[in-house]
Amino acid sequence: MAVSSEYLDYVHDQLSGLGGVSSRRMFGGAGLYCDEFFFALIDNDTLYLRVDDANRADFTTRGMGQFRPYPDSPQLSMSYYETPADVLEDPAQLVSWARRSVAAAMAAGKPAAKAAKPAAKQAAKKAASRPGRARAGTRRTRPQG
């Protein structure tokens, strides 16, 4: 994955009408978030938007390719499709497509930050919520007598 600073800035400018967009560098590329929802990625200066059943046809009918993170394993792909050039060049149209991608990300589940909670914290929270049970990390002892 690779993304130039110029391309990343261009995409941010084109998406300025969406609001709440941020990016995080990852593996040489970048992930795009709307608030906490991961809705797009950039690889090799190409913008890929998140798809689901509601917006997949927008991409497939135009012959856009899926993001494939492993060139030597083309059968492995992700739910992200390349953005058509005419859409990328039209900020209003890009924002419209991006909104559908944000909706796809929201429908898929939790925000990225919450989904990354360590399993130990989740287990401790679950144990603490059960009345009459010891909290995770504590040990009950018998009274000495």
Side-chain angles (χ1 to χ4, degrees):
M1 284 180 89
V3 60
S4 67
S5 295
E6 295 82 14
Y7 187 81
L8 183 59
D9 290 344
Y10 172 73
V11 171
H12 272 282
D13 287 345
Q14 295 297 91
L15 289 169
S16 63
L18 184 59
V21 175
S22 62
S23 60
R24 296 180 197 154
R25 294 279 186 165
M26 55 184 218
F27 307 110
L32 297 179
Y33 298 80
C34 183
D35 298 321
E36 295 180 20
F37 291 95
F38 183 65
F39 76 97
L41 58 89
I42 300 173
D43 177 38
N44 292 323
D45 285 351
T46 301
L47 176 64
Y48 295 87
L49 293 172
R50 175 103 187 213
V51 301
D52 64 6
D53 291 340
N55 68 342
R56 184 174 287 110
D58 294 341
F59 297 86
T60 58
T61 58
R62 296 183 73 170
M64 304 315 298
Q66 280 183 283
F67 175 66
R68 299 193 189 284
Y70 307 106
D72 56 338
S73 298
Q75 73 280 9
L76 298 176
S77 63
M78 298 174 66
S79 296
Y80 295 84
Y81 276 77
E82 184 177 352
T83 305
D86 62 305
V87 172
L88 180 62
E89 293 169 3
D90 179 348
Q93 193 174 10
L94 180 59
V95 166
S96 176
W97 282 51
R99 278 192 171 93
R100 291 191 297 277
S101 292
V102 171
M106 292 172 80
K110 298 178 181 178
K114 291 183 180 178
K117 270 189 181 177
K121 279 188 176 183
Q122 290 176 353
K125 185 176 179 180
K126 187 176 180 179
S129 67
R130 288 186 252 162
R133 302 263 173 122
R135 288 191 172 172
T138 63
R139 190 171 15 156
R140 290 188 177 189
T141 58
R142 292 186 188 169
Q144 298 289 323

